[in-house]
Amino acid sequence: MWLSDQPGAWLFAMSPVIASLIVVRFDVLALWIAVAWNMCYFVQFTAARWFKSHGRSRYAKPMVVYEVIALLIGFPLLMMHPELLWWAPAYIVFATTSFIASSLRKERSLWSNAAQVAAASCMAVVVLASINNDAARGWNIAAGFALVQFGCVLYVKTMIREYGKASYLTASLVWHIALVIIGFAVSPVLGALACALLARAVTFPLAARKHRIKPSIVGAGETVATILAIGCIVAAL
């Protein structure tokens, strides 16, 4: 009730912020934003469960507790740095999309996943624009994570929820091949990262045809991939 049931989801949501923290050398304001975003993540997945249940009371307590904690952390932050409110409309759209998907029980749909990837990725811009006034680098990092993370979404679907569907496997492979091309066009480091991700997107679905791979193992692999992405994206961008 209090923790996400998706292996690796926390790191997935936090990775653009973690990359930004490394870039700004763990600035105090950046850390405060990161903690606030962490609580937003906890609010999101508990609220999504509440919306999915159509308001059943048993799902309300974790959501309300996390909302109060997020308010206690976030309200002083916004009072001291009201410029962060410029991002409110975008995040209202991201959150609304997520909660609509949950209420329709389509929280694992591609359009819902895309909103979650966009919300997480844009946090790189929020941090870097606020700390270093370096929105351009923030957008570069956000784009890098958005491309990598949506590829992860497609790959994970080929391993779990859409296992065995040729359409998803094709989409995943095409996305990862495009990622290799884009990666090498930008930086050898990003090209190498994309090659590693492509190799995983090819070999694991093939291996799963003989022996189905457990979701926990898939999640562990994505944790490693996310850590690798953080290092490569920070180094290259």
Side-chain angles (χ1 to χ4, degrees):
M1 295 296 292
W2 293 85
L3 299 174
S4 173
D5 58 356
Q6 298 183 49
W10 178 86
L11 184 60
F12 190 85
M14 292 297 296
S15 55
V17 168
I18 294 171
S20 302
L21 285 174
I22 295 170
V23 170
V24 301
R25 299 181 181 180
F26 296 90
D27 176 270
V28 173
L29 175 57
L31 284 169
W32 195 354
I33 294 173
V35 172
W37 175 243
N38 179 67
M39 291 314 306
C40 288
Y41 164 73
F42 280 85
V43 169
Q44 188 278 330
F45 76 76
T46 52
R49 288 174 180 168
W50 184 79
F51 277 103
K52 184 176 181 178
S53 72
H54 295 167
R56 291 180 63 182
S57 58
R58 67 187 295 251
Y59 295 101
K61 184 178 178 179
M63 177 184 68
V64 172
V65 170
Y66 286 138
E67 284 173 345
V68 170
I69 297 172
L71 181 63
L72 292 174
I73 295 171
F75 185 74
L77 175 63
L78 293 176
M79 291 299 98
M80 295 179 66
H81 299 277
E83 67 276 9
L84 291 171
L85 289 170
W86 283 106
W87 290 95
Y91 279 88
I92 289 172
V93 172
F94 295 146
T96 300
T97 301
S98 174
F99 297 145
I100 289 174
S102 296
S103 65
L104 296 174
R105 301 196 172 184
K106 293 184 177 181
E107 69 276 9
R108 305 295 174 86
S109 63
L110 285 177
W111 55 275
S112 176
N113 293 151
Q116 294 168 19
V117 167
S121 299
C122 283
M123 285 304 299
V125 193
V126 175
V127 173
L128 291 179
S130 301
I131 308 305
N132 287 349
N133 197 26
D134 193 358
R137 188 177 186 186
W139 282 115
N140 289 337
I141 292 175
F145 274 105
L147 291 171
V148 168
Q149 289 191 342
F150 196 73
C152 291
V153 167
L154 292 173
Y155 158 70
V156 169
K157 286 187 183 298
T158 68
M159 299 297 294
I160 302 176
R161 299 185 70 84
E162 307 299 337
Y163 173 77
K165 291 188 178 180
S167 58
Y168 274 87
L169 181 58
T170 301
S172 174
L173 295 178
V174 169
W175 187 277
H176 282 87
I177 291 169
L179 201 60
V180 171
I181 296 170
I182 295 169
F184 277 114
V186 176
S187 163
V189 174
L190 294 180
L193 168 65
C195 285
L197 296 177
L198 174 60
R200 158 278 250 143
V202 173
T203 57
F204 277 80
L206 288 176
R209 290 183 178 181
K210 293 184 178 180
H211 301 286
R212 189 75 181 270
I213 299 174
K214 295 180 180 180
S216 59
I217 296 176
V218 176
E222 288 312 282
T223 297
V224 174
T226 300
I227 294 171
L228 181 62
I230 292 171
C232 291
I233 289 173
V234 169
L237 300 176

